[in-house]
Amino acid sequence: MSERYPVLRDAEPFYFEGNQIGILVTHGFTGSTQSMRPLGEAYAKAGYTVCGPRLKGHGTHYEDMEQTTYKDWIHSVEEGYQRLKERCDTIFVTGLSMGGTLALYMAEKYPEIRSIILINAAIEVPAMDPVIQLEGVRFLDAIGSDIKRPEVIELAYEKTPVQSIKELLQLMKEVKGSLATITCPTLLFVSEEDHVVPPGNSQYIYDHISSKVKEIHHLKESYHVATLDHDQERIIEKTLDFIKKNI
């Protein structure tokens, strides 16, 4: 089903032409590219080719999101990946929240991906499980903009479609079951205080992927949307260092 609503300002996909090394940048559930643009711009400034796709149903209206499936979101990321493959020899994938889940999926499906960078990635959110039993309820309260910096607001939906949560649960289950197939170098960032995704997700991922090269960094000054929070520069700096070491 096509989207009925226009794309919101600052939620547009972005692409920056650079060298032969590509970085695919993926935003999270109910969010938009706005949450990842600072990283994308920093990577582009460092000379890399950067693609930040807008996940289908995101960045418009929550009624659009309600009509999409997790396979639509995978397809959006795969389109960005194919665009980078046409231009780049080496590709890294970085993602926030469900964007991290999708980065894990990509590493599971495309072993040629050089490395993944995960920021508060989600593979299990127990608080969402009761949604499976809900009947006759279309929307719940928003989950976006979990940011410690009071002056910063994430461009995210004001309501969360119940059907979309069910889709996310399926995606997380699928990805979690195949973590052991991941062997590429992996960098994980985890906020010690996160009101959306339990911090234990990142440690579980770290423990269950088969990558020989893997690092986990704890963020003490950011909540869930760490890419827009106090640790933004730290994430950018450590990511760029990690990419240089693993090209």
Side-chain angles (χ1 to χ4, degrees):
M1 181 177 177
S2 61
E3 296 170 327
R4 297 167 48 203
Y5 295 87
V7 178
L8 298 170
R9 182 180 178 182
D10 296 329
E12 304 91 351
F14 55 82
Y15 181 85
F16 303 113
E17 189 79 17
N19 58 27
Q20 298 298 307
I21 299 166
I23 307 178
L24 182 62
V25 180
T26 310
H27 67 80
F29 183 73
T30 77
S32 69
T33 56
Q34 176 248 10
S35 65
M36 299 301 286
R37 184 174 286 272
L39 271 65
E41 291 176 345
Y43 301 157
K45 186 177 180 180
Y48 301 115
T49 297
V50 183
C51 181
R54 178 182 65 85
L55 302 180
K56 188 173 183 182
H58 290 71
T60 59
H61 191 280
Y62 51 81
E63 289 183 355
D64 278 339
M65 185 178 182
E66 184 186 33
Q67 302 301 315
T68 60
T69 68
Y70 77 90
K71 292 184 178 179
D72 290 322
W73 308 333
I74 289 172
H75 182 66
S76 298
V77 176
E78 289 181 325
E79 283 186 330
Y81 176 63
Q82 293 303 323
R83 184 176 184 183
L84 285 175
K85 278 191 71 175
E86 294 172 1
R87 173 71 177 79
C88 302
D89 301 324
T90 304
I91 298 175
F92 293 76
V93 183
T94 183
L96 165 69
S97 191
M98 185 181 76
T101 315
L102 291 166
L104 288 164
Y105 173 88
M106 294 296 288
E108 291 170 357
K109 185 174 180 181
Y110 301 97
E112 66 269 23
I113 286 174
R114 181 61 57 91
S115 175
I116 55 175
I117 297 97
L118 313 174
I119 306 156
N120 293 324
I123 52 164
E124 189 172 44
V125 184
M128 291 183 174
D129 291 341
V131 168
I132 297 175
Q133 309 300 328
L134 285 180
E135 297 291 342
V137 179
R138 288 181 63 189
F139 303 107
L140 299 176
D141 292 339
I143 61 170
S145 209
D146 183 35
I147 301 172
K148 191 171 185 178
R149 292 175 64 184
E151 76 279 13
V152 177
I153 298 175
E154 180 190 13
L155 180 59
Y157 288 147
E158 62 268 30
K159 291 184 182 295
T160 305
V162 168
Q163 181 56 41
S164 300
I165 294 175
K166 293 178 180 179
E167 293 293 328
L168 173 58
L169 290 170
Q170 291 185 60
L171 173 63
M172 291 191 295
K173 181 179 179 181
E174 181 176 327
V175 169
K176 182 180 179 182
S178 299
L179 288 176
T181 65
I182 295 175
T183 58
C184 66
T186 302
L187 174 62
L188 300 97
F189 294 98
V190 54
S191 296
E192 294 189 351
E193 184 174 353
D194 187 326
H195 307 103
V196 180
V197 174
N201 276 245
S202 294
Q203 189 64 51
Y204 186 95
I205 294 166
Y206 181 90
D207 291 339
H208 287 81
I209 58 176
S210 300
S211 306
K212 293 182 179 178
V213 176
K214 52 186 176 180
E215 300 177 14
I216 186 167
H217 294 277
H218 293 263
L219 307 175
K220 300 180 183 296
E221 298 299 328
S222 300
Y223 295 157
H224 184 63
V225 190
T227 54
L228 296 178
D229 219 329
H230 293 295
D231 291 296
Q232 180 187 96
E233 289 301 320
R234 184 180 179 209
I235 292 171
I236 290 170
E237 179 183 348
K238 288 193 174 297
T239 298
L240 290 174
D241 287 344
F242 190 79
I243 289 171
K244 285 181 182 179
K245 290 189 294 185
N246 290 285
I247 291 175

